[in-house]
Amino acid sequence: EAQVTQNPRYLITVTGKKLTVTCSQNMNHEYMSWYRQDPGLGLRQIYYSMNVEVTDKGDVPEGYKVSRKEKRNFPLILESPSPNQTSLYFCASSLSSRGYEQYFGPGTRLTVT
Amino acid sequence: QKEVEQDPGPLSVPEGAIVSLNCTYSNSAFQYFMWYRQYSRKGPELLMYTYSSGNKEDGRFTAQVDKSSKYISLFIRDSQPSDSATYLCAMSPGGTSYGKLTFGQGTILTVHP
């Protein structure tokens, strides 16, 4: 089944404890992206990648890191999480390197205390 | 001022009604326009995708783009209870920033039987 998977789906952590949210797609898509969704603010793009080893900042990249070492995976790293990073995170991928027609993962609910 | 403005609603309509959802934007560089639908506790899914000004129809859904007014719309004909969801508009500038996507806040729609 063609899909975007994220792990973990739910995570509660403490301030400053480094964490990684994994994202994997099995559709051989060129483009991958990370978003966060907050009430009243909608979906905001964190980082995106148009190809392996190519990443670029979205609208809210501060406090996050990404890497794209292989086509199928695009992990999101929070080196020192803070409570304002409590959010619902979505990973997405697209066959087009331009990011049109994106397929979204199921989301990761992160709480930082 | 946000680059993309979308009335969050909520919008409640009876089954069979015509629904109009709208977004305005301020960045004249936006070239690609998308509508996503998001059911509760799920990731967004692409409904419609249009380039530049004009109309595009897909079944009960019609997307309109008016670049001169910086205004886009999604019309849903013969609305069904299964259309109840949050609808998100999204836009991309194309060119050297074509991987960058900016979303509206989303409009919550309820179609009651």
Side-chain angles (χ1 to χ4, degrees), chain B residues 32-62:
Chain B
Y32 299 88
F33 304 91
M34 288 141 274
W35 285 95
Y36 283 83
R37 177 176 62 195
Q38 185 176 22
Y39 290 116
S40 183
R41 296 192 180 89
K42 299 284 188 184
E45 56 180 339
L46 182 70
L47 275 177
M48 306 278 290
Y49 152 52
T50 57
Y51 170 70
S52 199
S53 285
N55 292 2
K56 185 174 183 178
E57 190 173 317
D58 184 0
R60 295 185 294 112
F61 299 90
T62 300

Side-chain angles (χ1 to χ4, degrees), chain A residues 52-64:
Chain A
V52 174
E53 302 290 3
V54 178
T55 62
D56 212 342
K57 295 177 181 178
D59 289 323
V60 288
E62 296 79 18
Y64 304 94

Side-chain angles (χ1 to χ4, degrees), chain A residues 9 31 33 35 37 40-45 48 50 56-59 88 90 97-107, chain B residues 2-3 32 34 36 38 41-46 49 86 88 92-106:
Chain A
R9 294 288 313 280
Y31 176 101
S33 184
Y35 300 88
Q37 188 171 36
L41 296 175
L43 271 167
R44 292 179 293 168
Q45 192 173 39
Y48 61 98
M50 291 184 281
D56 212 342
K57 295 177 181 178
D59 289 323
L88 179 58
F90 288 101
S97 62
R98 298 181 179 209
Y100 310 134
E101 195 168 358
Q102 294 188 28
Y103 292 85
F104 280 77
Chain B
K2 291 180 183 174
E3 275 191 303
Y32 299 88
M34 288 141 274
Y36 283 83
Q38 185 176 22
R41 296 192 180 89
K42 299 284 188 184
E45 56 180 339
L46 182 70
Y49 152 52
T86 298
L88 302 142
S92 179
T96 56
S97 300
Y98 52 67
K100 200 166 183 293
L101 214 59
T102 302
F103 281 81
Q105 296 169 271

